[in-house]
Amino acid sequence: MHISQTLKTVEFPSFIFNASGPRCTTQGELLKIAGSSAGGITMKSCSPEARQWNPEPRYIEVDMWSINSMGLPNHGYKKYLEYAAEIKKQFPNKPIIASIVWFCPEDFFLLIKAFQEDKNVDVLEVNLSCPNVVGKPQIAYDFETTDELLQQIFALGITKPIGFKLPPYFDPVHTEMMANILKKYPVDFITCINSVGNTLIIDPETEQPLIAPKWGLGGLWGDYVKPVALANVRMFYKMIWDKTKIIWCGWIKNGIDVFEHLLAGASLVQLGTVFGKEDTDCFERIESEFIEYASSKGYSDISEIIWNLKEL
Ligand code: DHB
């Protein structure tokens, strides 16, 4: 089965790798991903300065869902430049994705320029959808601000593959509005979706929310989020397939979930919750489950599956 993929000129030996989420904050965690069968290494979303975790409890997981508000803990972007140098030294053939986040344009520009100029980072993922910092917006729900930000970012003269991590949209009209903005710029990929932001789960026994930060509001993943992710992938692919690839970041439990998202139009796949739970073994497990399932259906290359959803 042919499972390599490219983003612009960057080769991913496998289209399955980690999401910016669990287990990608420290240098040790990043080196462990690089040494596994993950096709690339996404570093934790980083900000200009280091940030601490939100107060506990900040992450609760049961079988069918998880809710989180980690609070963007990271070591600050300068550390991720150092970590990228060490990863590249030890694993020169694995692409490194820097995930960039903050809430004012000047900070975005500072970080984008730093990673763009760095010789070790291969791909830039700009996160426009973090729901977990009190008082800060999920930027990609504000279409006008997103348009202005993209205009300014591309004016910096970006040469590396660059993409944007988006929140879920629940109305195809909104997906179309965002797609029309993306089409105006040389966007290489989008990562969709981030968690369903600002949800509340209450424990009736204790009469409290399950997590402490932000009045109990947090990002939701779960079995019922997967159809939202599939719909976002399908609707975006329909509108921007000719110039922008889609990285699916969703609720993945097994290789068949991956198969479904390729059918809907994703070209690459990031694992988040399952990676948090199983550690790096999940990359090999999910890849081999995917290969077994896709081969049994007669496919020999992921490009034959992408956007191959049959019409009813
Ligand atoms: C966090 C959560 C997100 O969904 C995200 O995109 C970035 C950071 C967090 O809480 O750490």
Side-chain angles (χ1 to χ4, degrees):
M1 174 76 60
H2 186 257
I3 58 161
S4 65
Q5 184 55 280
T6 56
L7 274 179
K8 217 170 172 179
T9 51
V10 174
E11 275 270 343
F12 287 69
S14 161
F15 72 108
I16 302 174
F17 53 104
N18 72 300
S20 171
R23 299 183 188 274
C24 60
T25 303
T26 67
Q27 179 168 286
E29 289 171 337
L30 294 165
L31 287 169
K32 191 166 181 196
I33 299 168
S36 76
S37 52
I41 307 109
T42 313
M43 302 193 287
K44 177 73 181 167
S45 291
C46 64
S47 44
E49 304 298 334
R51 286 176 57 85
Q52 296 301 318
W53 301 89
N54 273 344
E56 294 200 75
R58 55 185 168 238
Y59 180 77
I60 302 284
E61 187 188 335
V62 295
D63 264 4
M64 296 219 349
W65 49 260
S66 69
I67 184 167
N68 80 82
S69 180
M70 315 312 272
L72 216 49
N74 73 89
H75 298 170
Y77 79 102
K78 288 186 184 148
K79 283 281 172 206
Y80 292 95
L81 291 166
E82 288 173 30
Y83 300 164
E86 188 57 36
I87 301 166
K88 229 358 153 225
K89 199 162 81 191
Q90 295 190 34
F91 299 94
N93 299 324
K94 286 254 174 117
I96 302 175
I97 300 116
S99 175
I100 295 157
V101 70
W102 205 232
F103 301 93
C104 70
E106 291 68 31
D107 289 339
F108 268 123
F109 305 154
L110 172 78
L111 270 61
I112 290 171
K113 275 193 207 154
F115 287 117
Q116 157 74 29
E117 283 161 19
D118 180 64
K119 66 181 192 317
N120 302 303
V121 166
D122 300 287
V123 175
L124 312 175
E125 182 182 81
V126 182
N127 186 345
L128 301 179
S129 50
C130 174
N132 293 341
V133 180
V134 177
K136 302 291 185 191
Q138 285 180 275
I139 297 165
Y141 282 138
D142 177 342
F143 296 107
E144 210 177 314
T145 301
T146 300
D147 196 353
E148 277 167 26
L149 187 64
L150 264 60
Q151 191 177 14
Q152 291 167 314
I153 287 173
F154 285 102
L156 297 173
I158 306 293
T159 54
K160 289 186 179 169
I162 185 166
F164 297 87
K165 186 163 180 175
L166 300 176
Y169 297 100
F170 299 95
D171 183 337
V173 171
H174 293 155
T175 320
E176 190 169 355
M177 285 166 79
M178 181 50 68
N180 285 337
I181 294 168
L182 297 167
K183 276 191 211 170
K184 290 165 58 179
Y185 307 99
V187 176
D188 298 298
F189 68 94
I190 54 170
T191 305
C192 62
I193 55 175
N194 209 323
S195 56
V196 178
N198 299 300
T199 61
L200 175 66
I201 300 180
I202 290 175
D203 180 345
E205 284 302 313
T206 62
E207 304 174 21
Q208 289 173 316
L210 285 194
I211 57 169
K214 209 178 171 186
W215 309 280
L217 304 192
L220 185 75
W221 288 115
D223 286 3
Y224 296 106
V225 176
K226 184 181 142 192
V228 178
L230 278 168
N232 274 255
V233 171
R234 181 159 164 80
M235 297 318 285
F236 271 119
Y237 188 94
K238 200 164 147 310
M239 289 178 267
I240 58 174
W241 63 273
D242 53 341
K243 57 194 280 287
T244 304
K245 283 188 172 156
I246 301 178
I247 302 182
W248 173 45
C249 174
W251 179 256
I252 297 168
K253 287 180 166 172
N254 54 49
I256 298 178
D257 290 335
V258 171
F259 182 78
E260 289 175 29
H261 276 76
L262 293 189
L263 286 179
S267 292
L268 299 108
V269 166
Q270 292 179 343
L271 307 184
T273 310
V274 70
F275 172 43
K277 199 150 76 177
E278 295 178 21
D279 208 345
T280 46
D281 288 348
C282 71
F283 298 112
E284 205 173 330
R285 173 177 73 78
I286 289 178
E287 182 185 301
S288 58
E289 286 172 3
F290 165 77
I291 290 174
E292 192 183 328
Y293 189 73
S295 312
S296 75
K297 293 183 130 252
Y299 291 106
S300 58
D301 190 315
I302 55 170
S303 65
E304 301 160 0
I305 308 169
I306 297 165
W307 192 242
N308 198 28
L309 191 60
K310 314 277 189 295
E311 299 296 334
L312 272 182

